[in-house]
PDB file of all heavy atoms in Angstrom:
ATOM      1  N   HIS A  19       0.701  30.029   5.710  1.00 88.00           N
ATOM      2  CA  HIS A  19      -0.723  29.879   5.527  1.00 88.00           C
ATOM      3  C   HIS A  19      -1.211  28.819   6.588  1.00 88.00           C
ATOM      4  O   HIS A  19      -0.411  28.269   7.277  1.00 88.00           O
ATOM      5  CB  HIS A  19      -1.084  29.376   4.119  1.00 88.00           C
ATOM      6  CG  HIS A  19      -0.534  28.015   3.792  1.00 88.00           C
ATOM      7  ND1 HIS A  19       0.715  27.767   3.480  1.00 88.00           N
ATOM      8  CD2 HIS A  19      -1.199  26.795   3.818  1.00 88.00           C
ATOM      9  CE1 HIS A  19       0.946  26.445   3.267  1.00 88.00           C
ATOM     10  NE2 HIS A  19      -0.203  25.841   3.480  1.00 88.00           N
ATOM     11  N   HIS A 105      -5.901   7.528  -6.609  1.00 92.00           N
ATOM     12  CA  HIS A 105      -7.356   7.397  -6.452  1.00 92.00           C
ATOM     13  C   HIS A 105      -8.087   8.740  -6.353  1.00 92.00           C
ATOM     14  O   HIS A 105      -9.194   8.873  -6.755  1.00 92.00           O
ATOM     15  CB  HIS A 105      -7.716   6.520  -5.280  1.00 92.00           C
ATOM     16  CG  HIS A 105      -7.273   5.074  -5.481  1.00 92.00           C
ATOM     17  ND1 HIS A 105      -7.854   4.320  -6.469  1.00 92.00           N
ATOM     18  CD2 HIS A 105      -6.390   4.282  -4.876  1.00 92.00           C
ATOM     19  CE1 HIS A 105      -7.330   3.127  -6.426  1.00 92.00           C
ATOM     20  NE2 HIS A 105      -6.421   3.079  -5.530  1.00 92.00           N
ATOM     21  N   TYR A 107      -7.614  11.352  -7.948  1.00 87.00           N
ATOM     22  CA  TYR A 107      -7.871  11.953  -9.310  1.00 87.00           C
ATOM     23  C   TYR A 107      -8.290  10.908 -10.320  1.00 87.00           C
ATOM     24  O   TYR A 107      -8.302  11.185 -11.506  1.00 87.00           O
ATOM     25  CB  TYR A 107      -6.649  12.745  -9.805  1.00 87.00           C
ATOM     26  CG  TYR A 107      -6.430  13.951  -8.986  1.00 87.00           C
ATOM     27  CD1 TYR A 107      -5.334  14.080  -8.123  1.00 87.00           C
ATOM     28  CD2 TYR A 107      -7.334  15.015  -9.036  1.00 87.00           C
ATOM     29  CE1 TYR A 107      -5.119  15.213  -7.336  1.00 87.00           C
ATOM     30  CE2 TYR A 107      -7.158  16.134  -8.238  1.00 87.00           C
ATOM     31  CZ  TYR A 107      -6.064  16.232  -7.435  1.00 87.00           C
ATOM     32  OH  TYR A 107      -5.886  17.360  -6.643  1.00 87.00           O
ATOM     33  N   ARG A 110     -12.261   5.574 -10.791  1.00 79.00           N
ATOM     34  CA  ARG A 110     -12.474   4.112 -10.659  1.00 79.00           C
ATOM     35  C   ARG A 110     -13.518   3.855  -9.614  1.00 79.00           C
ATOM     36  O   ARG A 110     -13.709   4.655  -8.690  1.00 79.00           O
ATOM     37  CB  ARG A 110     -11.157   3.425 -10.305  1.00 79.00           C
ATOM     38  CG  ARG A 110     -10.082   3.593 -11.295  1.00 79.00           C
ATOM     39  CD  ARG A 110     -10.187   2.686 -12.483  1.00 79.00           C
ATOM     40  NE  ARG A 110      -9.219   3.077 -13.464  1.00 79.00           N
ATOM     41  CZ  ARG A 110      -7.929   2.754 -13.494  1.00 79.00           C
ATOM     42  NH1 ARG A 110      -7.445   1.933 -12.533  1.00 79.00           N
ATOM     43  NH2 ARG A 110      -7.130   3.132 -14.481  1.00 79.00           N
ATOM     44  N   TYR A 120      -7.170   4.126   2.910  1.00 95.00           N
ATOM     45  CA  TYR A 120      -5.767   4.592   2.883  1.00 95.00           C
ATOM     46  C   TYR A 120      -5.574   5.701   3.943  1.00 95.00           C
ATOM     47  O   TYR A 120      -4.489   5.757   4.569  1.00 95.00           O
ATOM     48  CB  TYR A 120      -5.378   5.076   1.546  1.00 95.00           C
ATOM     49  CG  TYR A 120      -4.956   4.045   0.562  1.00 95.00           C
ATOM     50  CD1 TYR A 120      -5.692   3.677  -0.561  1.00 95.00           C
ATOM     51  CD2 TYR A 120      -3.775   3.287   0.735  1.00 95.00           C
ATOM     52  CE1 TYR A 120      -5.337   2.649  -1.424  1.00 95.00           C
ATOM     53  CE2 TYR A 120      -3.373   2.295  -0.093  1.00 95.00           C
ATOM     54  CZ  TYR A 120      -4.143   1.962  -1.190  1.00 95.00           C
ATOM     55  OH  TYR A 120      -3.807   0.964  -2.012  1.00 95.00           O
ATOM     56  N   TYR A 127      -0.013   4.061  10.510  1.00 91.00           N
ATOM     57  CA  TYR A 127       1.434   4.101  10.437  1.00 91.00           C
ATOM     58  C   TYR A 127       2.003   5.268  11.283  1.00 91.00           C
ATOM     59  O   TYR A 127       3.064   5.105  11.885  1.00 91.00           O
ATOM     60  CB  TYR A 127       1.909   4.300   8.978  1.00 91.00           C
ATOM     61  CG  TYR A 127       2.058   2.967   8.244  1.00 91.00           C
ATOM     62  CD1 TYR A 127       1.270   2.583   7.226  1.00 91.00           C
ATOM     63  CD2 TYR A 127       2.966   2.003   8.672  1.00 91.00           C
ATOM     64  CE1 TYR A 127       1.347   1.394   6.551  1.00 91.00           C
ATOM     65  CE2 TYR A 127       3.143   0.825   8.065  1.00 91.00           C
ATOM     66  CZ  TYR A 127       2.274   0.459   6.980  1.00 91.00           C
ATOM     67  OH  TYR A 127       2.446  -0.697   6.356  1.00 91.00           O
ATOM     68  N   GLU A 145      16.745  -5.782   9.355  1.00 90.00           N
ATOM     69  CA  GLU A 145      15.601  -6.528   9.741  1.00 90.00           C
ATOM     70  C   GLU A 145      14.581  -6.666   8.596  1.00 90.00           C
ATOM     71  O   GLU A 145      14.051  -7.768   8.298  1.00 90.00           O
ATOM     72  CB  GLU A 145      14.949  -5.944  10.993  1.00 90.00           C
ATOM     73  CG  GLU A 145      13.909  -6.840  11.658  1.00 90.00           C
ATOM     74  CD  GLU A 145      12.981  -6.140  12.680  1.00 90.00           C
ATOM     75  OE1 GLU A 145      13.109  -4.900  12.788  1.00 90.00           O
ATOM     76  OE2 GLU A 145      12.183  -6.864  13.325  1.00 90.00           O
ATOM     77  N   ASN A 146      14.299  -5.548   7.951  1.00 89.00           N
ATOM     78  CA  ASN A 146      13.383  -5.510   6.801  1.00 89.00           C
ATOM     79  C   ASN A 146      13.910  -6.504   5.716  1.00 89.00           C
ATOM     80  O   ASN A 146      13.125  -7.199   5.047  1.00 89.00           O
ATOM     81  CB  ASN A 146      13.177  -4.167   6.224  1.00 89.00           C
ATOM     82  CG  ASN A 146      12.462  -3.216   7.180  1.00 89.00           C
ATOM     83  OD1 ASN A 146      11.939  -3.700   8.191  1.00 89.00           O
ATOM     84  ND2 ASN A 146      12.393  -1.975   6.936  1.00 89.00           N
ATOM     85  N   LYS A 192      13.589 -16.464  12.622  1.00 90.00           N
ATOM     86  CA  LYS A 192      12.424 -16.015  11.842  1.00 90.00           C
ATOM     87  C   LYS A 192      11.922 -17.120  10.924  1.00 90.00           C
ATOM     88  O   LYS A 192      10.705 -17.472  10.852  1.00 90.00           O
ATOM     89  CB  LYS A 192      12.800 -14.749  11.043  1.00 90.00           C
ATOM     90  CG  LYS A 192      11.710 -14.008  10.332  1.00 90.00           C
ATOM     91  CD  LYS A 192      10.627 -13.527  11.321  1.00 90.00           C
ATOM     92  CE  LYS A 192      11.046 -12.303  12.129  1.00 90.00           C
ATOM     93  NZ  LYS A 192       9.956 -11.888  13.037  1.00 90.00           N
ATOM     94  N   ASN A 206      -4.552 -27.815   6.867  1.00 70.00           N
ATOM     95  CA  ASN A 206      -5.447 -27.096   5.998  1.00 70.00           C
ATOM     96  C   ASN A 206      -4.870 -26.781   4.643  1.00 70.00           C
ATOM     97  O   ASN A 206      -5.584 -26.465   3.680  1.00 70.00           O
ATOM     98  CB  ASN A 206      -5.821 -25.768   6.669  1.00 70.00           C
ATOM     99  CG  ASN A 206      -6.674 -26.019   7.895  1.00 70.00           C
ATOM    100  OD1 ASN A 206      -7.370 -27.002   7.956  1.00 70.00           O
ATOM    101  ND2 ASN A 206      -6.560 -25.123   8.882  1.00 70.00           N
ATOM    102  N   MET A 217       9.729 -23.445   1.715  1.00 88.00           N
ATOM    103  CA  MET A 217       8.974 -22.180   1.772  1.00 88.00           C
ATOM    104  C   MET A 217       9.670 -21.241   2.790  1.00 88.00           C
ATOM    105  O   MET A 217       9.500 -20.025   2.750  1.00 88.00           O
ATOM    106  CB  MET A 217       7.600 -22.558   2.229  1.00 88.00           C
ATOM    107  CG  MET A 217       6.583 -21.426   2.243  1.00 88.00           C
ATOM    108  SD  MET A 217       4.984 -22.145   2.832  1.00 88.00           S
ATOM    109  CE  MET A 217       4.774 -21.147   4.256  1.00 88.00           C
TER     110      MET A 217
ATOM    111  N   TYR B   6      -3.328 -16.384   8.663  1.00 89.00           N
ATOM    112  CA  TYR B   6      -2.148 -17.037   8.197  1.00 89.00           C
ATOM    113  C   TYR B   6      -1.679 -16.359   6.908  1.00 89.00           C
ATOM    114  O   TYR B   6      -2.457 -15.926   6.091  1.00 89.00           O
ATOM    115  CB  TYR B   6      -2.440 -18.540   7.878  1.00 89.00           C
ATOM    116  CG  TYR B   6      -1.227 -19.258   7.305  1.00 89.00           C
ATOM    117  CD1 TYR B   6      -0.135 -19.462   8.098  1.00 89.00           C
ATOM    118  CD2 TYR B   6      -1.200 -19.626   5.944  1.00 89.00           C
ATOM    119  CE1 TYR B   6       0.969 -20.075   7.577  1.00 89.00           C
ATOM    120  CE2 TYR B   6      -0.126 -20.189   5.418  1.00 89.00           C
ATOM    121  CZ  TYR B   6       1.021 -20.413   6.192  1.00 89.00           C
ATOM    122  OH  TYR B   6       2.139 -21.009   5.678  1.00 89.00           O
ATOM    123  N   HIS B  19      -7.196 -29.805  -0.806  1.00 88.00           N
ATOM    124  CA  HIS B  19      -7.484 -29.518   0.587  1.00 88.00           C
ATOM    125  C   HIS B  19      -8.559 -28.414   0.744  1.00 88.00           C
ATOM    126  O   HIS B  19      -8.963 -27.799  -0.278  1.00 88.00           O
ATOM    127  CB  HIS B  19      -6.202 -29.066   1.335  1.00 88.00           C
ATOM    128  CG  HIS B  19      -5.635 -27.768   0.833  1.00 88.00           C
ATOM    129  ND1 HIS B  19      -4.965 -27.617  -0.398  1.00 88.00           N
ATOM    130  CD2 HIS B  19      -5.758 -26.517   1.390  1.00 88.00           C
ATOM    131  CE1 HIS B  19      -4.609 -26.375  -0.493  1.00 88.00           C
ATOM    132  NE2 HIS B  19      -5.099 -25.671   0.500  1.00 88.00           N
ATOM    133  N   HIS B 105       4.184  -7.483   7.814  1.00 92.00           N
ATOM    134  CA  HIS B 105       3.640  -7.262   9.202  1.00 92.00           C
ATOM    135  C   HIS B 105       3.241  -8.560   9.909  1.00 92.00           C
ATOM    136  O   HIS B 105       3.332  -8.631  11.150  1.00 92.00           O
ATOM    137  CB  HIS B 105       2.441  -6.274   9.110  1.00 92.00           C
ATOM    138  CG  HIS B 105       2.893  -4.907   8.739  1.00 92.00           C
ATOM    139  ND1 HIS B 105       3.695  -4.171   9.526  1.00 92.00           N
ATOM    140  CD2 HIS B 105       2.593  -4.146   7.654  1.00 92.00           C
ATOM    141  CE1 HIS B 105       3.928  -3.001   8.948  1.00 92.00           C
ATOM    142  NE2 HIS B 105       3.262  -2.971   7.805  1.00 92.00           N
ATOM    143  N   TYR B 107       4.756 -11.249  10.020  1.00 87.00           N
ATOM    144  CA  TYR B 107       5.895 -11.901  10.729  1.00 87.00           C
ATOM    145  C   TYR B 107       6.815 -10.857  11.381  1.00 87.00           C
ATOM    146  O   TYR B 107       7.954 -11.202  11.743  1.00 87.00           O
ATOM    147  CB  TYR B 107       6.639 -12.778   9.730  1.00 87.00           C
ATOM    148  CG  TYR B 107       5.880 -13.986   9.337  1.00 87.00           C
ATOM    149  CD1 TYR B 107       5.365 -14.121   8.089  1.00 87.00           C
ATOM    150  CD2 TYR B 107       5.606 -14.945  10.285  1.00 87.00           C
ATOM    151  CE1 TYR B 107       4.581 -15.241   7.705  1.00 87.00           C
ATOM    152  CE2 TYR B 107       4.836 -16.067   9.970  1.00 87.00           C
ATOM    153  CZ  TYR B 107       4.344 -16.187   8.657  1.00 87.00           C
ATOM    154  OH  TYR B 107       3.588 -17.273   8.356  1.00 87.00           O
ATOM    155  N   ARG B 110       6.507  -5.360  14.952  1.00 80.00           N
ATOM    156  CA  ARG B 110       6.472  -3.905  15.158  1.00 80.00           C
ATOM    157  C   ARG B 110       5.169  -3.479  15.816  1.00 80.00           C
ATOM    158  O   ARG B 110       4.159  -4.214  15.795  1.00 80.00           O
ATOM    159  CB  ARG B 110       6.522  -3.206  13.769  1.00 80.00           C
ATOM    160  CG  ARG B 110       7.742  -3.528  12.970  1.00 80.00           C
ATOM    161  CD  ARG B 110       8.886  -2.632  13.335  1.00 80.00           C
ATOM    162  NE  ARG B 110      10.087  -3.181  12.731  1.00 80.00           N
ATOM    163  CZ  ARG B 110      10.516  -2.878  11.509  1.00 80.00           C
ATOM    164  NH1 ARG B 110       9.775  -2.060  10.736  1.00 80.00           N
ATOM    165  NH2 ARG B 110      11.636  -3.345  11.032  1.00 80.00           N
ATOM    166  N   TYR B 120      -5.070  -3.516   6.161  1.00 95.00           N
ATOM    167  CA  TYR B 120      -4.713  -4.142   4.897  1.00 95.00           C
ATOM    168  C   TYR B 120      -5.765  -5.165   4.440  1.00 95.00           C
ATOM    169  O   TYR B 120      -6.010  -5.307   3.205  1.00 95.00           O
ATOM    170  CB  TYR B 120      -3.307  -4.729   4.952  1.00 95.00           C
ATOM    171  CG  TYR B 120      -2.171  -3.712   4.753  1.00 95.00           C
ATOM    172  CD1 TYR B 120      -1.341  -3.376   5.800  1.00 95.00           C
ATOM    173  CD2 TYR B 120      -2.041  -3.096   3.517  1.00 95.00           C
ATOM    174  CE1 TYR B 120      -0.340  -2.431   5.600  1.00 95.00           C
ATOM    175  CE2 TYR B 120      -1.022  -2.150   3.345  1.00 95.00           C
ATOM    176  CZ  TYR B 120      -0.149  -1.831   4.407  1.00 95.00           C
ATOM    177  OH  TYR B 120       0.778  -0.901   4.198  1.00 95.00           O
ATOM    178  N   TYR B 127     -10.369  -3.650  -2.798  1.00 91.00           N
ATOM    179  CA  TYR B 127      -9.933  -3.734  -4.178  1.00 91.00           C
ATOM    180  C   TYR B 127     -10.577  -4.870  -4.898  1.00 91.00           C
ATOM    181  O   TYR B 127     -10.904  -4.766  -6.095  1.00 91.00           O
ATOM    182  CB  TYR B 127      -8.392  -4.021  -4.181  1.00 91.00           C
ATOM    183  CG  TYR B 127      -7.596  -2.754  -4.168  1.00 91.00           C
ATOM    184  CD1 TYR B 127      -6.768  -2.378  -3.140  1.00 91.00           C
ATOM    185  CD2 TYR B 127      -7.634  -1.846  -5.269  1.00 91.00           C
ATOM    186  CE1 TYR B 127      -6.003  -1.199  -3.138  1.00 91.00           C
ATOM    187  CE2 TYR B 127      -6.906  -0.668  -5.248  1.00 91.00           C
ATOM    188  CZ  TYR B 127      -6.085  -0.355  -4.179  1.00 91.00           C
ATOM    189  OH  TYR B 127      -5.384   0.814  -4.193  1.00 91.00           O
ATOM    190  N   GLU B 145      -3.964   5.121 -18.937  1.00 90.00           N
ATOM    191  CA  GLU B 145      -4.627   5.966 -18.037  1.00 90.00           C
ATOM    192  C   GLU B 145      -3.803   6.106 -16.766  1.00 90.00           C
ATOM    193  O   GLU B 145      -3.579   7.201 -16.206  1.00 90.00           O
ATOM    194  CB  GLU B 145      -6.004   5.487 -17.713  1.00 90.00           C
ATOM    195  CG  GLU B 145      -6.895   6.528 -16.932  1.00 90.00           C
ATOM    196  CD  GLU B 145      -8.119   5.929 -16.323  1.00 90.00           C
ATOM    197  OE1 GLU B 145      -8.377   4.676 -16.429  1.00 90.00           O
ATOM    198  OE2 GLU B 145      -8.938   6.701 -15.778  1.00 90.00           O
ATOM    199  N   ASN B 146      -3.311   4.970 -16.263  1.00 89.00           N
ATOM    200  CA  ASN B 146      -2.472   4.951 -15.067  1.00 89.00           C
ATOM    201  C   ASN B 146      -1.223   5.794 -15.271  1.00 89.00           C
ATOM    202  O   ASN B 146      -0.747   6.511 -14.385  1.00 89.00           O
ATOM    203  CB  ASN B 146      -2.102   3.535 -14.632  1.00 89.00           C
ATOM    204  CG  ASN B 146      -3.291   2.742 -14.119  1.00 89.00           C
ATOM    205  OD1 ASN B 146      -4.351   3.283 -13.987  1.00 89.00           O
ATOM    206  ND2 ASN B 146      -3.051   1.456 -13.973  1.00 89.00           N
ATOM    207  N   LYS B 192      -7.232  16.133 -17.371  1.00 90.00           N
ATOM    208  CA  LYS B 192      -6.859  15.711 -16.049  1.00 90.00           C
ATOM    209  C   LYS B 192      -6.006  16.831 -15.401  1.00 90.00           C
ATOM    210  O   LYS B 192      -6.213  17.212 -14.266  1.00 90.00           O
ATOM    211  CB  LYS B 192      -6.050  14.392 -16.133  1.00 90.00           C
ATOM    212  CG  LYS B 192      -5.738  13.689 -14.843  1.00 90.00           C
ATOM    213  CD  LYS B 192      -6.994  13.304 -14.094  1.00 90.00           C
ATOM    214  CE  LYS B 192      -7.774  12.139 -14.615  1.00 90.00           C
ATOM    215  NZ  LYS B 192      -8.957  11.857 -13.746  1.00 90.00           N
ATOM    216  N   ASN B 206      -5.825  28.404   1.009  1.00 70.00           N
ATOM    217  CA  ASN B 206      -5.361  27.691   2.153  1.00 70.00           C
ATOM    218  C   ASN B 206      -3.883  27.219   2.041  1.00 70.00           C
ATOM    219  O   ASN B 206      -3.269  26.903   2.955  1.00 70.00           O
ATOM    220  CB  ASN B 206      -6.210  26.438   2.422  1.00 70.00           C
ATOM    221  CG  ASN B 206      -7.596  26.795   2.835  1.00 70.00           C
ATOM    222  OD1 ASN B 206      -7.785  27.814   3.498  1.00 70.00           O
ATOM    223  ND2 ASN B 206      -8.502  25.968   2.474  1.00 70.00           N
TER     224      ASN B 206
END
Side-chain angles (χ1 to χ4, degrees):
Chain A
H19 65 282
H105 291 296
Y107 292 110
R110 300 279 169 83
Y120 277 112
Y127 273 115
E145 192 194 6
N146 291 351
K192 190 59 76 180
N206 293 330
M217 188 180 120
Chain B
Y6 177 69
H19 66 283
H105 291 296
Y107 292 110
R110 300 278 169 85
Y120 277 112
Y127 272 115
E145 192 194 5
N146 291 352
K192 191 58 77 182
N206 293 330

